[in-house]
Amino acid sequence: MSISERAPPAPTLGRAALPFRGAALRPAVVRRGGRIRPLALALALGWPASSIGTGAAAADEPRLAYAPVKLASPFRTDRVGVHLAFPGDLPERGVLVVAGNALLPNASWIIVDLDTRTTRRATTRLSDATHGGKPTTVIERDVSRDLTASETDAVVRAANAVWATRDPASIDAPGPTDALCSVALFDGYDVLHEFGATCPRTSFVETVTALAEIPQ
């Protein structure tokens, strides 16, 4: 089956360390009961109030920026230029790994949505129905779960490496094969879609697959 209808056209957002001397901060820091108030200290350092959190709430928020660096690539396109045969919405920002076989009707999809912080694992099958003369697909199995902040960061970190670097491995494995695998990254209208007989970006695929292991 075809899991793609398109032939190839072919970070950390860390808080920078700010060198300072304690004495320079004293006028801007408010003390109550002999203790420095975290909010006052953060504001004194110029951090936006909306980005300041404390305790468990702050620890539960993802900490990494997504796709801050994007390498020029013949596999870069937009949503109009990529056609993945998934019968449903794909994330505005997120990643996808799909594997199948040209001789079989089924494909396995892993979809991570970074905005909703969810991972979804689905199996699709080619149906007898057609649309515009092309076979349609239906979802046979579909399960999902929420991601923790640390899991979301792990996906972002792995995806950022894909956006910013070329895959050192060959896109296609040597020798004839009917297997197909696609890796797609979405950032608004910007899409990076790499594919081959074997999955490109082995380390990235392993990360996404491990997070998609959903208890039965």
Side-chain angles (χ1 to χ4, degrees):
M1 65 166 285
S2 173
I3 58 177
S4 173
E5 301 171 5
R6 185 181 70 88
T12 301
L13 182 57
R15 194 164 282 153
L18 299 176
F20 58 84
R21 294 181 180 275
L25 289 178
R26 287 191 188 115
V29 176
V30 178
R31 294 175 179 269
R32 179 174 296 174
R35 299 182 62 184
I36 297 176
R37 294 172 59 190
L39 179 59
L41 176 59
L43 293 174
L45 294 177
W47 301 340
S50 60
S51 68
I52 300 168
T54 57
D60 193 43
E61 289 301 318
R63 295 166 290 276
L64 303 181
Y66 176 63
V69 178
K70 296 177 180 176
L71 192 71
S73 167
F75 297 97
R76 287 268 300 277
T77 182
D78 56 29
R79 287 181 181 267
V80 177
V82 64
H83 303 282
L84 292 159
F86 185 76
D89 294 332
L90 295 174
E92 182 75 11
R93 297 188 318 135
V95 302
L96 172 154
V97 175
V98 55
N101 190 293
L103 301 180
L104 299 175
N106 296 95
S108 175
W109 303 75
I110 301 173
I111 302 170
V112 177
D113 189 320
L114 295 175
D115 293 318
T116 61
R117 288 167 58 180
T118 57
T119 181
R120 179 181 185 185
R121 192 158 201 161
T123 300
T124 60
R125 175 181 55 81
L126 280 175
S127 70
D128 295 331
T130 60
H131 179 73
K134 297 180 180 179
T136 60
T137 57
V138 294
I139 296 177
E140 288 196 322
R141 180 175 178 270
D142 191 358
V143 292
S144 62
R145 73 172 180 88
D146 294 335
L147 294 174
T148 66
S150 61
E151 289 173 331
T152 304
D153 285 344
V155 175
V156 170
R157 186 178 296 107
N160 286 351
V162 175
W163 279 111
T165 61
R166 290 184 175 85
D167 188 356
S170 171
I171 294 297
D172 284 305
T177 178
D178 299 313
L180 301 169
C181 183
S182 282
V183 170
L185 281 68
F186 304 89
D187 185 22
Y189 284 100
D190 197 4
V191 180
L192 177 65
H193 181 205
E194 297 182 355
F195 47 89
T198 59
C199 289
R201 307 288 184 171
T202 304
S203 177
F204 172 77
V205 171
E206 290 175 350
T207 296
V208 174
T209 301
L211 290 176
E213 293 298 333
I214 300 172
Q216 304 300 310

